[in-house]
Amino acid sequence: MTSEQQKTVLVGISGCIAAYKAAEIVRGLQKAGVRVKVVMTDHATHFVDPLTFRALTNEPVGLGLFDDPQDPIHHISLAQEADLFLIAPCTANVMAKVAHGIADDLLTTTALATTAPVMIAPAMNVHMYKNPITQDNIARLKSFGLEFIEPDAGYLACGEVGQGRLPEPEDIVAAVLQKLEGAKTSSDSLGRDLAGKRIMVTAGPTVEAIDPVRYITNRSSGKFGYAIAEAAARRGAQVTLVSGPVALAAPQGVEVISVESAREMLEAAKPVFEGCDVGIFSAAVADVRPAQQLDKKLKKGINDAELQNIALVENPDVLATLGNAKQGQLVVGFAAETNDVLDNARKKLTKKNADMIVANEVGSEKVFGKDDDEVWLVTASGEEHLPSTSKRELADMILDKIVSMGA
Ligand code: CTP
């Protein structure tokens, strides 16, 4: 990559326990070929030593407004150098200051001085985040064109549970790379080998209603499919995720079509698949559904016979239906097996007219809801074993294989 092509991202770090995650964000951006410079607030230096970022970036870390004797207007030079200014983590205080043009340190002065796109990844206690004052500041910043990487919900450092967690570094990196791509970064320089490809991913379980309150479903967190969708989007593909009900946030830059039942999944997937280059079917589609979906709740003591004899009918097979109707698309299915993994996967490859089956072994302790997995890639020409690693890493390896198969 020439230095002309290389983009510079200025990472602003403010004082929050999530400041340590900024080190991984810096590394992730660097791995994608981006030059990174760092500016920290005084409070941030209480959480992570600036030396960490000095060592990671091999660049001086911006701290005080008057620290650099060589550069008396450091905020202006930093602001001009940046192709994008990312503030991560961004505290409520820094957000409030930027929202109102208060520029009382190097980070906030640079935020005011830059003409580059500014992205903000807030991180704070849930009540601070939900506070109407903070929400008003967010709306104000958005109205000025600043972009937000929404905080995740979950367990917060303060012990509370709610929205306010800094998203995973990979997700922040993906959002920044996508924004840089929009700002005309060379696609090759960012490893965007799927640029121009349209990819559909099915993910999550389907739920099949018995009555308005009961349903049958399959065990599935959707994590694998979401990781694949996220990785494909990061690598430049236009991705549509057809997803059953899951507790996961939509990956950055991915269109999500939410469905409930297998039949809805097939209906939603059909037109998307027709316009696709690659279809990846990771959903744990329920094989059967109740023959009847009742409008009224079945009551114990009154509908005992119905409750004890729920007739089931077979659902359509989304992968087999679309695999057998494919017209040039590369089709990747999954196989969740408790035994004879490879044998069963080979049978599914043929029966569902897939080009590859990603096979994994499932069981009481294995796979469901876990972040790690071990899989076999089964194609007509043989098998490849991918040893246990994170679903995120596996997602990239599966996409590498898909690229090598000519997608
Ligand atoms: N699949 C599908 N629609 C179904 C059932 C499965 O699209 N109604 C897809 C899954 O998304 C996966 C592949 O088919 O890509 C295999 O799913 P799996 O549950 O392993 O196998 P089944 O086909 O359901 O067969 P069995 O349960 O007998 O192993």
Side-chain angles (χ1 to χ4, degrees):
M1 185 191 327
T2 67
S3 56
E4 254 172 46
Q5 283 173 322
Q6 193 181 32
K7 295 286 171 181
T8 298
V9 170
L10 179 63
V11 178
I13 304 169
S14 61
C16 158
I17 184 65
Y20 75 94
K21 289 191 186 173
E24 276 189 63
I25 297 170
V26 168
R27 294 290 296 129
L29 289 169
Q30 287 173 324
K31 276 191 203 157
V34 173
R35 171 180 176 236
V36 182
K37 292 193 77 166
V38 168
V39 56
M40 298 174 79
T41 63
D42 183 38
H43 288 174
T45 64
H46 290 270
F47 293 93
V48 187
D49 197 295
L51 186 61
T52 304
F53 297 105
R54 173 82 181 91
L56 284 176
T57 60
N58 203 22
E59 302 268 3
V61 174
L63 296 168
L65 265 171
F66 310 104
D67 279 353
D68 190 346
Q70 311 300 320
D71 186 358
I73 45 170
H74 197 186
H75 57 291
I76 302 294
S77 53
L78 278 175
Q80 285 171 344
E81 257 181 302
D83 292 294
L84 188 147
F85 186 14
L86 166 73
I87 310 180
C90 188
T91 59
N93 179 48
V94 166
M95 216 151 58
K97 288 202 279 185
V98 177
H100 295 276
I102 296 171
D104 60 358
D105 60 13
L106 186 59
L107 190 154
T108 49
T109 313
T110 307
L112 198 57
T114 192
T115 54
V118 178
M119 295 182 85
I120 291 186
M124 66 199 70
N125 163 277
V126 58
H127 302 301
M128 292 173 79
Y129 183 68
K130 296 281 179 201
N131 190 308
I133 300 172
T134 303
Q135 289 301 316
D136 195 50
N137 287 333
I138 292 174
R140 186 175 164 81
L141 288 164
K142 283 183 179 170
S143 77
F144 289 123
L146 283 78
E147 286 188 27
F148 278 76
I149 303 168
E150 303 295 332
D152 282 347
Y155 184 77
L156 304 173
C158 53
E160 296 205 61
V161 175
Q163 194 174 12
R165 276 165 59 91
L166 189 71
E168 290 305 318
E170 305 92 286
D171 295 336
I172 295 178
V173 169
V176 170
L177 295 182
Q178 194 162 345
K179 181 72 188 168
L180 281 177
E181 172 68 12
K184 290 190 293 301
T185 298
S186 136
S187 56
D188 286 348
S189 72
L190 296 172
R192 295 170 74 84
D193 54 355
L194 290 170
K197 298 287 174 199
R198 289 156 305 168
I199 297 186
M200 182 194 76
V201 183
T202 71
T206 64
V207 299
E208 313 291 335
I210 297 169
D211 65 18
V213 294
R214 302 183 181 89
Y215 58 76
I216 55 174
T217 189
N218 276 359
R219 281 165 67 109
S220 168
S221 65
K223 281 183 182 171
F224 215 151
Y226 273 61
I228 292 173
E230 187 266 318
R234 170 171 38 79
R235 289 166 69 155
Q238 186 187 321
V239 185
T240 306
L241 187 52
V242 182
S243 175
V246 294
L248 298 171
Q252 292 286 335
V254 170
E255 186 199 357
V256 180
I257 303 178
S258 298
V259 297
E260 297 231 318
S261 67
R263 287 182 296 175
E264 281 175 23
M265 183 169 275
L266 178 58
E267 279 318 297
K270 214 182 264 174
V272 181
F273 179 74
E274 277 165 14
C276 263
D277 302 294
V278 182
I280 303 174
F281 299 79
S282 74
V285 184
D287 294 306
V288 290
R289 66 174 183 278
Q292 285 190 302
Q293 282 83 52
L294 302 165
D295 294 340
K296 283 201 182 127
K297 186 180 170 188
L298 291 171
K299 300 293 287 178
K300 288 198 291 290
I302 301 172
N303 305 113
D304 287 344
E306 289 95 323
L307 275 168
Q308 282 157 23
N309 297 288
I310 295 169
L312 300 174
V313 292
E314 201 171 326
N315 263 331
D317 188 313
V318 182
L319 167 59
T321 309
L322 299 181
N324 285 306
K326 73 180 174 193
Q327 291 189 314
Q329 294 94 333
L330 194 110
V331 170
V332 179
F334 274 62
E337 308 294 343
T338 53
N339 53 283
D340 303 324
V341 178
L342 291 179
D343 249 16
N344 284 323
R346 280 186 216 108
K347 283 182 195 144
K348 282 178 188 168
L349 186 73
T350 317
K351 194 168 152 208
K352 306 199 185 202
N353 202 25
D355 299 289
M356 175 162 79
I357 293 285
V358 180
N360 58 14
E361 199 178 345
V362 294
S364 52
E365 288 300 302
K366 285 188 176 140
V367 181
F368 295 120
K370 293 259 160 36
D371 292 324
D372 285 8
D373 200 356
E374 170 191 14
V375 301
W376 287 262
L377 305 184
V378 180
T379 61
S381 50
E383 294 96 40
E384 211 173 297
H385 179 230
L386 303 182
S388 182
T389 183
S390 71
K391 287 179 180 171
R392 282 170 187 278
E393 279 192 58
L394 287 173
D396 269 315
M397 292 181 200
I398 292 165
L399 291 172
D400 288 346
K401 179 74 180 176
I402 288 171
V403 170
S404 80
M405 290 169 78

